[in-house]
Amino acid sequence: MGKVFNESVFKDIEEAQREWEAKFDQLCERAPERLKRFITVSNREIKRIYTPLDVKDLDYGRDLGFPGEYPYTRGVQTSMYRGRLWTMRMFAGLGTAKDTNRRFHLLVRAGQTGLSVAFDMPTLMGYDSDSPKAKGEIGRCGVAIDTVKDMEELFDGLPVDRLTTSMTINPPASVIWAMYIAAAENRGIPRHLLGGTIQNDMLKEFIAQKTFMLPPVPSVKLIIDTVEFGTRQVPKWNTISISGYHIREAGSTAVQELAFTLADGIAYTEAAIERGLDVDEFAPRFSFFFNSHIDFFEEIAKFRAARRMWAKIMKDRFKAKNPRSWWLRFHTQTAGCSLTAQQPYNNIVRTALEALAAVLGGTQSLHTNSLDEVLALPTEEAATIALRTQQIIGEESGVANTIDPLGGSYFVEALTNQMEEEAFEIIRKIDEMGGMLGAIEKHYPQQEIADSAYRYQLQIDSGERTLVGVNKYVTEEEIPVEILEIDDALEKLQVEKLHRIKEERDQAKVRESLERVGEACEKGLNVMEPVIEAVKNYCTLQEVCDVYRKVYGTYRDPGIF
Amino acid sequence: MTDSTREIVKKVLEGDIRTVARLIRDIDDNMPGIRDVLKALYPHTGKAYVIGITGAPGVGKSTLVDQMIKHLRQKGYTVGVLAVDPTSPFTGGAILGDRVRMQRHSMDKGVFIRSMATRGQFGGITQATRSAIDVLDAMGKDIILVETVGVGQDEVDIVKTAHTTIVVVIPGMGDDIQAIKAGILEVGDIFVINKADRDGADRTLMDLRMMLEMETDRERRDEWAPPILKVQAVFDIGVEELLETIERHRSYIIERYGDLKLRSDPKRVKESLIQMLKDRLFETFLERISKSGELERRVDEISKGILDPYSACDILLKEHVV
Amino acid sequence: MAERRIRVMVAKPGLDGHDRGARVIARAFRDAGFEVVYTGLHQTPEEIVEAAIQEDVDMIGLSSLAGAHRFLFPRLMELLKEKGVEDIVVCGGGIIPKDDIPKLKEMGIKEIFTPGTPLNQIVEWVKENVKPRGSG
């Protein structure tokens, strides 16, 4: 297809641009530009104007291609949103399984097409509700799951063979997924019909979110167990959602998010190949999860660069042949860290802009944050506004009428190229450290993120960066926002339920099946079948995780500043 | 001795955690009255076994210390830990993060962990840490672990007060090994190659062995050739062997010096007395010229070109010391 | 020369690992000239109080983003009292609903910093409200 611009045009443009810049400079002498530096939220300096000179080398076939075609810069699917809008997937979870089940039914009635489960902290860390560590945290920021019984209640009455379910779970992902499979099978739904995603990305936990249980190496081992099991038995399931979201929330820049996430993807791919899997068997089931922050164009460029980079990595580095392996499919969540507690209704606008960037960046699914998320768990009303935001973008605004409408923009293409180049440079550095596991051990990503986060905060404090309602346009009056309260009594309820199950189950079976899990761990075998059997026998989440901890040891915060 | 001094001494000897914690703070802040307390505590010190752990940042010293605590506790010893981190030269503040890796022992009554910043702008770091060791000793801790970042002379001085000094390195730090040669090689009684599962561990072992053999202090080397151990602190591999090696070194000291009281070794006594004198002299002197305004006056003169720094020293010293 | 430094502890009680705020504030404290002891993640109130005593800190800064403040903050205040170290100033920060703030202050937590509070404002508050022991 060749170059977009003919060499011959550059000379004239160069000359004209020089003149224009001179005129601009002259103007500035009288009235300087309104800011000293025009920077993105990631501290990237942006030029006055972008022209063909910034993308001289742009080659349509090589750099962009058509949607559904390599290198997928313009989208992974051929028809993109002309065929079907993105999946509007709202993350929800609170209190007990029954409470969350009620919220799920409400969301499905409101038109949501996929479910997304938030778990409470004890569940996320692999502790049961009766653990001393769980005290005060049960059902607080998500749903509490101790046994397969809770999982059954969570999806009661919901068509899990038709809906897709996304579960944000990491260290105990293998156990929670086993519970989901077991609950479905107990209802007579075979595992091969199940579709959905488990986040199951531990590397970003060590880097950013800090929900960890086992050391890095066994953590990756368990992940590859699920990848292997999914490839063979649950083919519609995305066994890993390689996540940049949390890296960004921890304070990274857009390029760091991009680079660290793809480097994580490389590490998982290498580990799965080492396990003996063929890249084209499992890579098509890898999915990604990005943040959509407030800096509109930089985010769009990030999504486009991510697709192109992953396609190159898969094709060139891992020699994948199946085009599906080249696809970077991703879920997006708007940036929780961009929301403010001050003037919370402004958050609706921020989220709308961020959602728009995700859509223009070609996301496959999207969660929009509720305006009150920075204050507490979202109320139903706030969650509905957030969902409506997506519906308005998708069905009123017309932005989904054509595919990649910003493709060819000098600015967006230049930014896309620049971010790709910078991210590949970071990935090169990580490769030199022995890949992401080596880099984590050297605290490289942790340190980089800590530095970016601190710089960002200092820029806000100094007023170099504006946050409306926080350091500019501050108002005194309080805008009352309704806050969702979690009933403190639920702790007791959940613990009582767990104790009842522990009493009633077949103790011999529990012991036996936990032993089998331990055996699989010690012998380095795939744990999934033994774990499914264990949870069917009502082994609790923590009981299985304790077996993991005993065999593999635990990981503690290295405390990097 | 004042009543309050007597009370503090009594409580330290009883092992009262809060009193010890506050006293170390007072030592760190160089508060008036601490010398009386330290004098009174001195007869009660000399019982603890002091182990220095030093090495460059990132070699896993804290993780190693954490595992050592675990093993020492299993053997029934009580443990005191001083974790020294550098003070920011720009702001005077410090983030003391070593504790993070040892925090699992915080509920153990037999373990006392204290983070200290190097501070040191008045040269007092060595003395503060040394005094803190005495306090932990007096409170009855069997074993005291002192963790320092082995980069400066101060840190080397601290480990000189230890019975056994462990130098920690990691594979693939070729240049850094060269760098530590100058200061720390001589003080190391045991060398630990941590993260020994990494590539290059054998190479590091060979490099270290060679450097140690080239060492000049043959007399010391003939008696105690510093062992080099491969350890993976994170996985608790090699830590038990390390403790056994420390035990061997302890027997060696007893054999060599008759007992563990390093203070009965005139060479060590002299060294630490000189150090203490240096600190005190300097501190007194600096305080005097700061308070009188002379320091600022001379600084002003030098910066205006009226005086050169050499003459300024002569003048200040002549007036107050010589 | 005698010189009191402010010593503070930055602590993360509970299971939530969102430590961006804790780490940023720790750096800001360091840059303000304080000595900052960090406890690391996933701490119980018991562990935090014990560490605070051993470290003789003047203040404990607690960070909570996942609702744990309702049980863990009060528990910590209880323990300080039990151990007789209620002179240690405690403040908190993170996602803490407004309605909870008066209750927390009632039990002795001196200040709660909600999201968006500038770092220098927190640092100034500490300088104003936390006096190193024995310095007046």
Side-chain angles (χ1 to χ4, degrees):
Chain A
M1 271 173 275
K3 299 273 158 112
V4 172
F5 299 107
N6 189 319
E7 272 300 322
S8 61
V9 302
F10 295 136
K11 214 172 142 261
D12 287 351
I13 298 174
E14 255 166 52
E15 212 164 286
Q17 186 167 348
R18 239 193 324 273
E19 273 171 40
W20 178 80
E21 298 271 2
K23 227 179 338 179
F24 199 124
D25 288 337
Q26 232 170 11
L27 267 174
C28 286
E29 274 168 34
R30 269 181 290 140
E33 289 185 312
R34 69 188 159 82
L35 295 175
K36 254 210 236 88
R37 287 171 75 225
F38 288 78
I39 51 169
T40 66
V41 76
S42 300
N43 205 37
R44 170 188 306 281
E45 212 150 340
I46 297 296
K47 300 201 290 183
R48 286 171 177 168
I49 199 165
Y50 289 77
T51 67
L53 299 178
D54 294 289
V55 282
K56 273 185 179 170
D57 200 34
L58 195 68
D59 183 310
Y60 192 83
R62 183 196 64 195
D63 301 329
L64 305 178
F66 278 91
E69 286 173 15
Y70 190 87
Y72 305 103
T73 313
R74 309 201 68 181
V76 286
Q77 291 117 347
T78 308
S79 61
M80 285 302 289
Y81 308 143
R82 294 277 291 205
R84 191 173 70 78
L85 288 178
W86 60 94
T87 304
M88 299 177 188
R89 194 190 296 279
M90 303 293 282
F91 191 47
L94 67 160
T96 64
K98 276 194 180 134
D99 299 330
T100 306
N101 179 267
R102 217 169 300 130
R103 176 69 71 94
F104 281 167
H105 278 281
L106 179 103
L107 288 168
V108 169
R109 274 200 303 276
Q112 186 165 311
T113 45
L115 296 176
S116 179
V117 191
F119 297 96
D120 70 356
M121 280 313 311
T123 307
L124 290 172
M125 292 287 290
Y127 295 115
D128 284 344
S129 297
D130 61 352
S131 157
K133 298 234 184 214
K135 201 117 185 55
E137 312 213 35
I138 300 162
R140 283 259 173 255
C141 61
V143 58
I145 300 289
D146 296 317
T147 67
V148 70
K149 196 105 195 134
D150 295 319
M151 195 61 97
E152 283 168 349
E153 283 177 12
L154 183 61
F155 291 99
D156 188 42
L158 293 162
V160 291
D161 46 346
R162 277 178 286 126
L163 280 170
T164 58
T165 305
S166 165
M167 291 188 275
T168 301
I169 190 80
N170 292 287
S174 53
V175 191
I176 290 290
W177 190 36
M179 285 186 186
Y180 187 82
I181 293 167
E185 288 184 343
N186 287 348
R187 264 168 77 177
I189 301 166
R191 51 181 78 159
H192 70 265
L193 289 182
L194 299 176
T197 306
I198 39 176
Q199 194 165 80
N200 204 19
D201 169 11
M202 280 311 296
L203 292 174
K204 66 97 170 51
E205 296 295 340
F206 298 112
I207 298 171
Q209 187 170 244
K210 318 290 169 70
T211 308
F212 32 58
M213 180 165 93
L214 313 174
V217 172
S219 296
V220 172
K221 185 262 177 205
L222 287 183
I223 291 166
I224 303 306
D225 281 1
T226 62
V227 171
E228 185 181 38
F229 180 79
T231 304
R232 313 259 189 258
Q233 306 217 24
V234 201
K236 283 167 66 185
W237 201 278
N238 302 311
T239 39
I240 182 164
S241 168
I242 305 160
S243 306
Y245 182 80
H246 319 82
I247 292 173
R248 194 66 179 281
E249 288 290 302
S252 83
T253 64
V255 165
Q256 286 166 344
E257 178 194 357
L258 179 59
F260 294 157
T261 310
L262 297 189
D264 287 348
I266 290 169
Y268 294 128
T269 306
E270 282 171 348
I273 291 172
E274 208 171 293
R275 178 67 67 92
L277 295 171
D278 182 78
V279 64
D280 285 320
E281 265 185 303
F282 65 83
R285 299 316 301 168
F286 276 11
S287 66
F288 288 80
F289 174 20
F290 288 109
N291 195 304
S292 191
H293 212 297
I294 194 73
D295 205 288
F296 193 69
F297 292 107
E298 191 176 45
E299 293 306 287
I300 295 167
K302 178 186 76 185
F303 299 127
R304 299 173 85 245
R307 268 194 301 272
R308 186 160 72 202
M309 288 174 73
W310 188 246
K312 287 181 185 173
I313 290 167
M314 277 296 151
K315 191 162 176 251
D316 302 338
R317 182 167 178 155
F318 293 110
K319 313 286 176 227
K321 287 176 200 71
N322 182 355
R324 288 248 171 179
S325 306
W326 305 337
W327 286 17
L328 179 137
R329 295 170 302 128
F330 66 101
H331 172 69
T332 307
Q333 182 170 338
T334 55
C337 63
S338 71
L339 305 186
T340 65
Q342 295 80 356
Q343 306 176 23
Y345 288 104
N346 296 346
N347 293 333
I348 299 176
V349 183
R350 292 192 179 97
T351 298
L353 278 167
E354 292 165 0
L356 185 57
V359 167
L360 291 173
T363 192
Q364 272 59 59
S365 62
L366 179 61
H367 166 98
T368 30
N369 288 326
S370 302
L371 70 106
D372 51 0
E373 222 136 314
V374 69
L375 304 167
L377 283 177
T379 59
E380 274 176 25
E381 193 200 3
T384 307
I385 295 174
L387 176 61
R388 295 286 179 259
T389 305
Q390 293 198 41
Q391 290 161 339
I392 291 167
I393 291 171
E395 300 182 50
E396 284 187 25
S397 76
V399 297
N401 285 345
T402 188
I403 302 168
D404 187 31
L406 290 172
S409 147
Y410 311 125
F411 178 40
V412 172
E413 295 299 355
L415 212 49
T416 306
N417 292 344
Q418 209 181 340
M419 293 178 82
E420 173 179 346
E421 200 179 301
E422 290 168 12
F424 267 131
E425 176 56 27
I426 295 175
I427 291 175
R428 195 189 53 72
K429 264 191 213 156
I430 293 171
D431 283 339
E432 275 177 6
M433 294 179 202
M436 196 41 116
L437 281 169
I440 287 172
E441 211 194 317
K442 294 186 176 67
H443 305 142
Y444 166 70
Q446 299 97 308
Q447 191 65 62
E448 292 285 302
I449 293 169
D451 290 345
S452 301
Y454 192 47
R455 186 185 57 214
Y456 177 82
Q457 191 59 44
L458 292 180
Q459 286 174 342
I460 288 173
D461 287 359
S462 71
E464 186 185 0
R465 190 180 287 290
T466 299
L467 259 190
V468 172
V470 174
N471 64 0
K472 209 172 177 184
Y473 315 114
V474 179
T475 46
E476 285 304 321
E477 91 267 36
E478 290 272 335
I479 302 169
V481 175
E482 190 200 339
I483 297 209
L484 183 82
E485 291 289 338
I486 300 287
D487 185 3
D488 287 328
L490 84 83
E491 290 214 15
K492 213 171 138 236
L493 233 75
Q494 182 68 21
V495 172
E496 278 169 7
K497 179 177 164 199
L498 173 61
H499 286 163
R500 217 168 29 248
I501 293 167
K502 274 186 176 174
E503 258 167 48
E504 287 166 7
R505 62 190 182 172
D506 184 334
Q507 308 301 344
K509 273 189 176 169
V510 168
R511 260 195 315 278
E512 262 166 53
S513 47
L514 287 177
E515 267 165 32
R516 279 200 52 204
V517 174
E519 234 176 72
C521 290
E522 261 154 26
K523 291 186 180 154
L525 304 172
N526 194 310
V527 298
M528 280 311 295
E529 286 290 8
V531 173
I532 292 173
E533 188 200 292
V535 300
K536 278 186 176 169
N537 288 330
Y538 295 101
C539 291
T540 68
L541 174 74
Q542 183 171 346
E543 285 168 341
V544 179
C545 288
D546 282 345
V547 173
Y548 290 165
R549 290 186 184 101
K550 196 162 158 250
V551 179
Y552 298 124
T554 52
Y555 183 82
R556 278 169 291 137
D557 177 19
I560 303 304
F561 289 90
Chain B
M1 211 185 329
T2 64
D3 283 352
S4 83
T5 305
R6 205 166 295 132
E7 180 66 15
I8 292 171
V9 170
K10 182 172 158 269
K11 285 202 155 165
V12 170
L13 294 179
E14 284 166 9
D16 183 73
I17 289 171
R18 183 120 221 242
T19 308
V20 168
R22 294 186 145 200
L23 177 58
I24 293 177
R25 173 82 174 278
D26 288 346
I27 289 168
D28 226 356
D29 292 338
N30 206 359
M31 296 316 265
I34 50 160
R35 268 181 213 123
D36 290 336
V37 177
L38 288 168
K39 278 180 209 162
L41 286 177
Y42 188 80
H44 304 279
T45 60
K47 295 178 300 253
Y49 194 80
V50 183
I51 302 170
I53 296 105
T54 191
V59 297
K61 295 182 294 296
S62 307
T63 308
L64 182 65
V65 169
D66 170 67
Q67 298 287 21
M68 287 171 74
I69 300 172
K70 190 183 93 181
H71 286 257
L72 290 168
R73 291 297 292 144
Q74 280 167 359
K75 295 181 200 302
Y77 294 114
T78 56
V79 182
V81 179
L82 295 174
V84 186
D85 264 333
T87 292
S88 156
F90 306 106
T91 66
I95 292 180
L96 310 172
D98 293 335
R99 190 181 186 96
V100 173
R101 277 160 294 247
M102 311 168 195
Q103 185 55 5
R104 65 169 162 162
H105 302 290
S106 67
M107 298 304 291
D108 181 347
K109 292 275 174 255
V111 180
F112 182 96
I113 301 169
R114 181 54 172 260
S115 318
M116 294 178 87
T118 49
R119 299 200 185 174
Q121 68 217 59
F122 297 116
I125 178 228
T126 318
Q127 193 47 51
T129 312
R130 211 177 269 154
S131 302
I133 293 172
D134 281 346
V135 175
L136 296 183
D137 187 346
M139 90 182 280
K141 291 286 175 266
D142 300 323
I143 298 196
I144 297 164
L145 306 174
V146 185
E147 179 193 332
T148 60
V149 179
V151 284
Q153 194 55 45
D154 276 349
E155 285 82 356
V156 174
D157 284 344
I158 291 171
V159 297
K160 274 185 194 160
T161 67
H163 293 95
T164 302
T165 295
I166 300 165
V167 175
V168 187
V169 299
I170 51 172
M173 292 182 75
D175 294 343
D176 298 285
I177 287 182
Q178 292 295 331
I180 65 166
K181 201 165 95 176
I184 300 183
L185 212 59
E186 298 84 36
V187 297
D189 298 307
I190 299 169
F191 287 80
V192 162
I193 301 174
N194 192 23
K195 310 186 186 183
D197 53 332
R198 282 201 191 165
D199 289 346
D202 290 325
R203 174 77 206 283
T204 305
L205 186 98
M206 269 165 41
D207 287 353
L208 262 179
R209 195 169 283 156
M210 227 158 67
M211 274 186 248
L212 286 172
E213 274 167 16
M214 273 160 38
E215 245 222 281
T216 44
D217 188 356
R218 296 297 307 178
E219 192 195 340
R220 186 170 94 103
R221 292 305 173 222
D222 285 345
E223 288 177 12
W224 174 263
I228 308 169
L229 301 179
K230 284 204 228 171
V231 171
Q232 294 173 52
V234 175
F235 304 110
D236 198 3
I237 295 173
V239 181
E240 190 57 44
E241 289 80 349
L242 173 61
L243 291 181
E244 283 163 18
T245 312
I246 294 171
E247 188 57 48
R248 271 207 295 128
H249 187 242
R250 184 171 175 271
S251 311
Y252 156 75
I253 294 179
I254 294 175
E255 205 179 300
R256 171 80 167 72
Y257 298 98
D259 62 23
L260 283 173
K261 291 201 172 173
L262 295 178
R263 59 185 51 156
S264 54
D265 173 20
K267 198 172 142 214
R268 292 240 193 183
V269 170
K270 192 171 169 189
E271 247 175 44
S272 76
L273 183 62
I274 288 174
Q275 185 63 43
M276 212 182 271
L277 270 171
K278 212 160 81 183
D279 288 350
R280 282 280 292 280
L281 269 177
F282 177 67
E283 194 192 308
T284 318
F285 175 60
L286 194 67
E287 195 166 343
R288 197 182 295 168
I289 61 171
S290 302
K291 272 191 183 150
S292 67
E294 262 173 293
L295 179 66
E296 283 311 307
R297 197 163 66 237
R298 300 303 173 199
V299 168
D300 189 55
E301 284 170 357
I302 296 167
S303 46
K304 281 189 179 134
I306 303 171
L307 192 67
D308 68 277
Y310 303 98
S311 311
C313 277
D314 287 344
I315 296 168
L316 287 169
L317 284 170
K318 203 166 280 167
E319 278 168 23
H320 293 278
V321 182
V322 193
Chain C
M1 238 179 298
E3 192 207 7
R4 274 286 188 225
R5 297 269 173 103
I6 296 184
R7 270 174 85 86
V8 300
M9 174 165 281
V10 174
K12 277 289 297 172
L15 297 175
D16 124 64
H18 295 96
D19 60 354
R20 176 179 179 168
R23 297 200 297 172
V24 165
I25 196 68
R27 279 169 85 141
F29 284 161
R30 177 197 62 194
D31 291 350
F34 307 163
E35 285 181 359
V36 189
V37 182
Y38 182 57
T39 61
L41 290 167
H42 310 143
Q43 297 293 302
T44 63
E46 286 81 0
E47 288 165 335
I48 294 169
V49 169
E50 205 49 55
I53 293 173
Q54 292 182 12
E55 296 289 355
D56 191 32
V57 294
D58 304 301
M59 184 190 97
I60 303 174
L62 299 168
S63 159
S64 165
L65 282 95
H69 63 276
R70 284 201 179 164
F71 170 74
L72 298 173
F73 285 20
R75 177 77 191 123
L76 185 123
M77 297 312 288
E78 247 172 60
L79 284 164
L80 289 177
K81 211 164 281 167
E82 261 172 46
K83 301 261 174 187
V85 287
E86 58 268 63
D87 55 322
I88 300 175
V89 175
V90 179
C91 63
I95 299 191
I96 294 166
K98 249 197 180 78
D99 290 354
D100 292 355
I101 294 176
K103 279 176 256 171
L104 294 172
K105 285 194 169 170
E106 222 167 88
M107 58 186 75
I109 291 173
K110 196 115 185 233
E111 192 56 270
I112 296 288
F113 298 102
T114 47
T117 315
L119 293 173
N120 53 12
Q121 195 177 313
I122 301 175
V123 166
E124 282 314 310
W125 184 90
V126 175
K127 286 182 178 165
E128 194 63 35
N129 291 277
V130 180
K131 297 288 172 232
R133 182 169 51 77
S135 65

